[in-house]
Amino acid sequence: MTAVDDRPTAEVGKDRRRKEDQRLITGRTKWTDNIQLPGMLHLAMVRSPFAHAKIVSIGTDEARAAPGVHAVFTGADLADSQGVNINAWPITPDQVTPTHLPVPSERVAHTGEIVAVVVARSAALARDAAELVDVDYEELPAVLDLKEAIKDEVLAHPDAGTNKSAFWQLDSKAAGTGGDVEEAIAKARQDGIVIEREYRQQRLVPAFMEPRSTVVDPTGEQVVIWSATQVPHILRFAIAATMGIPESKVRVIAPDVGGGFGGKLQTTPEEFATIAIARKLGKPCKYTETRSETMVSAHHGRDQWQKMTLAAEKDGTVTALKVDLLADLGAYVAIVGGGVPVLGAWMFNSIYKFPAYQFNCQTVLTNKTWVDAYRGAGRPEATYAIERIMDELAAEVGVDPIAIREKNWITHDEFPFTTVAGMTYDSGNYEAATEKALELFGYDELRAEQKRRRESGDTVQLGLGVSTFTEMCGLAPSRVLGSLSYGAGGWESASIRMLATGTVEVVSGATPHGQGHETAWSQIVADRLGIPFENVEVLHGDTQIAPKGLDTYGSRSLVVGGEALVRAADKVIEKAKPIAAHLLEASVDDLEFEGGQFTVKGTDKGIGITDIALATFAAHNLPDGVEPSIDADATFDPVNFSFPHGTHLCAMEVDTETGQSTMRKYVCVDDIGTIINPLIVEGQIHGGLVQGIAQALWEGAEYDEQGTLVSGSFVDYTLPTAADTINYISEHTVSPSTTNTLGTKGVGEAGTIASTPAVVNAIVDALRPMGIDDIQMPCTPERVWKAIRTAGAQQDKATTADAQAHFGEGAPNQDPAAGTTDGAAQ
């Protein structure tokens, strides 16, 4: 036999257009709401208009009599079958976790909570009839403000006796990873610098493209659930665990899903209610939310107060960092909601060598929509705070923000490096990424322009913002998750099926929702097995087809799921080797495998792996004792996280007369390890940048004093479009991860994590000569204008030179008695 090499050149690193885009972009796919089943009924939810209220009575007669209505269910009707929305991550043994019933029957704890469900022949008829459900509420006192909630004067859940859900601490002295924070801060107060600031992470809404939708068919041997979810495997487990249905009788299918950003990481009341009602009626049922329902009842993100205390020597060398975090969980502790703020514990120290560190996190319950993972989940919040306060340190010392970072970051020759938080960063090169970013940005030229504008008193000032960041991706080593009381592992599964026709089927437990897995997975397998890219089919998102998996979130798919795929491919090669030796009449030890072919060393004899797949299928001539299959499965559990990093630079022009902030230039250089598909990476970076920039400038979920979400539509909640953005310059450096053979680190959240502080730092940099050192997000023109007015900037503008040291040689630092200010010019 003579091998024939029809393999394309290396796929990894190639700009492949996405296989899935044809159907996604043209809409020729099956979204959950497109699914139609014979005899299917439609659900509409009746939701609470109050933030906190007792349900006195529910009148359903008029709704039941409405045209097309099949049934109306209350919480009492579903009490024995609706399961419970789970919390998978109790961060402490004594965490206060209120029971989260999908449809409560006695009390509602946030606006938008479900109190009844109408079932009708069509969605429109169900919604019309839902208006006829008469609910008598007794309004209860509600607590909506995070800082008020901590006082426990008004309780979100009176039965709980407190609004404090859990307190969690990481202390470097106690952990043996660093020194004593309080001692370092006290020393700095005597002979150094202490900076105290409080930053606000506003509440955000994960505005995914496709609203949540669920279809349930209970009529077969299994209960089949189609859902626009990120986590079909986790959803299957939750259904089986809480609704009394054997796991083998539950099949969850996630068809193409229109975005998630963490917003579809949950098990939801709507899913449980639809399943319970479909089973009671014995008929297929569908529920698809309206956009307004998404805003008020799908979970929210962020919502923290971050009190930062940073100690440093007078030359800017940081000696300690203390973080006191207040995190609003909303009305319930979501599936990973309690743990999201804690994820920041390992990221507040970021890329820096802090010798002492303490992280204190208090999670709090309020009468607002529950909070859970939102793109980045804990890492954007941490990066924002540390990058903001590093700028404050630079201003205090009187040096450029880049210089203060260089003084404190981990240098490239120090990797692997164990941080004061106990994480071991395996690889990185902050110097290289920063140098490249500065060059692309034209940093020195822009600083010169900034100086000219300040000196001339230009009404439009220029600010330059920097954000150097790292994050932990590849969630996660199962042992680490276990040590944190997380309810599941962090492994991922992959299978490869070698079909007789030469096609390769890849089955992945990592379920995508728009990331391009089908393309990237095909590139990896094409290279590993030496087959054409076009001959790889990727299957996912169906627990019947892909029974093992832990789904997609936390930039884990490629780092963990991709590595599982590599290991499955290697197993395929090993299983094929004795068959190849048999067919080539050679010894196994004399074979080499490259480019999809087994060859006999020193000869031109060879056979392709697809030919072996055909021979195995026929099984006419296999070695004795060899099974007729070269298919393989692999499960990968990482030993460590991966740590992407990068340097982002932003130039903002701020009109000091109107408060309008306009982006002038944005450059990012990310190091995400090996890049599989640059085109996909570019899209991920751009999408992430817009999401992070939107937090800085536009987005914010706002409640009124009664607990009504007043930013409950896209009229009031500013979601950016392409017209609101500029062209970004993005580049890369490559420091391959050492924790997976691909060398990948993860990219899905990088843009979101880094961009928010870069933008706000730029705005504050523009206004710092006016005495402004913070503006609360989103930095709307109104807030910027008020900050300028408050600072009396109109009288002082354009007269202050670059930042100077705020202390004289030998002079005491700021007055400790001044304590923490909220630091927010609003």
Side-chain angles (χ1 to χ4, degrees), residues 346-685:
W346 297 279
M347 289 288 103
F348 272 95
N349 56 286
S350 189
I351 65 172
Y352 306 113
K353 294 181 287 189
F354 297 164
Y357 174 61
Q358 189 180 85
F359 172 88
N360 304 301
C361 176
Q362 177 68 61
T363 58
V364 182
L365 297 160
T366 62
N367 292 116
K368 293 188 288 190
T369 300
W370 38 306
V371 174
D372 204 342
Y374 173 61
R375 199 170 187 174
R379 292 155 290 174
E381 297 93 319
T383 301
Y384 177 79
I386 186 61
E387 289 303 283
R388 287 287 299 109
I389 205 166
M390 289 301 282
D391 262 26
E392 297 308 301
L393 176 61
E396 187 74 24
V397 177
V399 300
D400 190 278
I402 298 290
I404 209 71
R405 286 165 171 81
E406 289 174 340
K407 179 179 284 293
N408 288 285
W409 68 28
I410 304 160
T411 58
H412 73 278
D413 55 356
E414 293 179 286
F415 288 97
F417 185 91
T418 299
T419 72
V420 72
M423 281 283 172
T424 299
Y425 297 171
D426 62 331
S427 68
N429 190 331
Y430 309 138
E431 302 98 312
T434 302
E435 182 179 354
K436 197 168 191 176
L438 291 172
E439 181 181 350
L440 291 168
F441 194 62
Y443 191 78
D444 293 339
E445 292 83 356
L446 287 168
R447 279 287 181 210
E449 179 184 338
Q450 180 188 57
K451 186 176 181 182
R452 289 196 299 273
R453 289 197 186 199
R454 286 180 178 175
E455 290 173 347
S456 67
D458 195 330
T459 57
V460 179
Q461 289 291 306
L462 180 66
L464 307 185
V466 57
S467 170
T468 49
F469 81 103
T470 188
E471 56 170 323
M472 54 180 186
C473 290
L475 303 178
S478 295
R479 288 184 178 180
V480 174
L481 294 178
S483 70
L484 297 173
S485 303
Y486 183 64
W491 51 265
E492 194 48 83
S493 171
S495 301
I496 293 180
R497 299 199 285 253
M498 303 295 292
L499 304 186
T501 55
T503 300
V504 176
E505 281 187 348
V506 171
V507 181
S508 175
T511 302
H513 41 281
Q515 290 91 340
H517 287 24
E518 293 173 33
T519 305
W521 272 219
S522 296
Q523 291 178 272
I524 293 168
V525 171
D527 273 0
R528 207 74 181 183
L529 294 180
I531 59 173
F533 166 84
E534 293 79 8
N535 287 7
V536 183
E537 296 290 334
V538 180
L539 309 177
H540 55 76
D542 183 339
T543 60
Q544 189 95 321
I545 295 171
K548 292 178 63 180
L550 286 172
D551 307 316
T552 291
Y553 50 88
S555 290
R556 68 184 304 275
S557 291
L558 189 57
V559 178
V560 187
E563 180 63 17
L565 189 57
V566 168
R567 295 180 181 222
D570 290 346
K571 286 184 178 180
V572 167
I573 295 168
E574 286 303 307
K575 290 182 73 174
K577 186 177 289 184
I579 300 173
H582 177 74
L583 296 175
L584 292 169
E585 298 180 339
S587 165
V588 168
D589 295 336
D590 290 336
L591 293 188
E592 295 176 327
F593 182 79
E594 185 178 359
Q597 304 166 66
F598 287 98
T599 56
V600 181
K601 295 174 186 174
T603 75
D604 63 352
K605 291 176 64 178
I607 184 170
I609 196 164
T610 54
D611 294 325
I612 296 173
L614 178 59
T616 306
F617 170 75
H620 295 164
N621 184 21
L622 299 182
D624 292 339
V626 171
E627 66 170 320
S629 171
I630 58 172
D631 299 345
D633 304 326
T635 301
F636 175 63
D637 196 345
V639 297
N640 193 4
F641 299 89
S642 61
F643 300 94
H645 69 83
T647 298
H648 288 219
L649 297 169
C650 176
M652 296 291 295
E653 292 183 331
V654 183
D655 189 320
T656 58
E657 294 185 336
T658 66
Q660 179 66 42
S661 301
T662 305
M663 189 170 289
R664 161 89 169 270
K665 191 173 187 178
Y666 197 101
V667 168
C668 59
V669 176
D670 291 288
D671 190 329
I672 56 170
T674 304
I675 295 174
I676 305 299
N677 186 322
L679 201 58
I680 292 178
V681 166
E682 196 72 5
Q684 294 268 4
I685 291 286

Side-chain angles (χ1 to χ4, degrees), residues 5-82:
D5 188 1
D6 58 355
R7 190 176 76 91
T9 55
E11 287 290 343
V12 170
K14 185 181 289 185
D15 272 335
R16 279 284 192 184
R17 289 184 180 275
R18 305 200 314 175
K19 287 183 172 182
E20 47 271 73
D21 276 350
Q22 175 65 25
R23 67 174 193 275
L24 292 178
I25 292 173
T26 62
R28 293 172 182 169
T29 187
K30 185 172 282 187
W31 309 107
T32 301
D33 192 47
N34 296 138
I35 293 168
Q36 299 295 332
L37 300 177
M40 189 166 68
L41 298 170
H42 298 261
L43 275 52
M45 306 298 172
V46 179
R47 297 181 181 277
S48 169
F50 298 108
H52 195 193
K54 179 181 177 183
I55 302 170
V56 177
S57 64
I58 302 178
T60 61
D61 291 347
E62 195 174 352
R64 291 179 195 275
V69 170
H70 194 85
V72 179
F73 291 92
T74 65
D77 300 325
L78 300 172
D80 61 344
S81 58
Q82 64 176 329

Side-chain angles (χ1 to χ4, degrees), residues 729-752:
I729 299 172
S730 63
E731 266 291 352
H732 305 279
T733 54
V734 178
S735 305
S737 172
T738 63
T739 59
N740 63 82
T741 59
L742 288 168
T744 58
K745 293 182 175 178
V747 68
E749 294 149 315
T752 308

Side-chain angles (χ1 to χ4, degrees), residues 57-311:
S57 64
I58 302 178
T60 61
D61 291 347
E62 195 174 352
R64 291 179 195 275
V69 170
H70 194 85
V72 179
F73 291 92
T74 65
D77 300 325
L78 300 172
D80 61 344
S81 58
Q82 64 176 329
V84 64
N85 225 31
I86 62 172
N87 165 241
W89 192 352
I91 59 173
T92 62
D94 61 349
Q95 174 179 284
V96 174
T97 309
T99 301
H100 190 184
L101 294 173
V103 186
S105 58
E106 298 180 355
R107 185 177 59 89
V108 291
H110 69 88
T111 303
E113 189 159 18
I114 303 168
V115 295
V117 186
V118 176
V119 187
R121 196 171 61 240
S122 73
L125 290 172
R127 286 174 191 150
D128 287 346
E131 298 288 332
L132 304 175
V133 175
D134 183 19
V135 186
D136 184 13
Y137 297 96
E138 178 185 328
E139 194 169 358
L140 300 172
V143 60
L144 302 161
D145 181 80
L146 182 54
K147 290 188 175 180
E148 289 298 316
I150 201 72
K151 299 175 183 174
D152 277 344
E153 293 174 353
V154 177
L155 298 180
H157 296 273
D159 293 346
T162 180
N163 294 320
K164 303 181 186 73
S165 180
F167 177 80
W168 193 95
Q169 183 184 70
L170 172 62
D171 183 273
S172 63
K173 183 180 180 184
T177 56
D180 188 299
V181 163
E182 299 298 348
E183 283 184 8
I185 292 173
K187 182 179 180 184
R189 291 196 192 281
Q190 297 302 316
D191 186 26
I193 301 169
V194 176
I195 299 176
E196 295 174 294
R197 294 287 187 275
E198 193 168 11
Y199 298 120
R200 174 72 170 140
Q201 284 282 323
Q202 79 269 36
R203 184 173 270 249
L204 300 175
V205 177
F208 26 74
M209 188 176 293
E210 177 197 15
R212 296 175 302 164
S213 180
T214 302
V215 174
V216 179
D217 183 1
T219 61
E221 291 295 319
Q222 293 177 305
V223 178
V224 183
I225 299 116
W226 292 263
S227 184
T229 178
Q230 290 177 230
V231 289
H233 297 91
I234 293 172
L235 178 57
R236 178 183 59 174
F237 171 82
I239 292 168
T242 69
M243 300 189 78
I245 311 172
E247 194 167 350
S248 62
K249 298 296 183 185
V250 179
R251 179 182 182 185
V252 177
I253 303 170
D256 281 326
V257 175
F261 314 121
K264 293 174 179 171
L265 196 155
Q266 288 65 40
T267 60
T268 68
E270 289 80 3
E271 288 168 325
F272 285 126
T274 306
I275 296 166
I277 290 170
R279 293 182 74 208
K280 276 188 175 292
L281 298 176
K283 292 178 177 295
C285 288
K286 179 196 288 186
Y287 170 73
T288 300
E289 67 185 357
T290 64
R291 181 62 70 181
S292 295
E293 287 180 296
T294 303
M295 302 292 284
V296 75
S297 61
H299 85 263
H300 294 168
R302 312 282 195 256
D303 208 344
Q304 297 178 359
W305 279 103
Q306 305 163 311
K307 179 181 173 185
M308 306 280 287
T309 306
L310 184 142

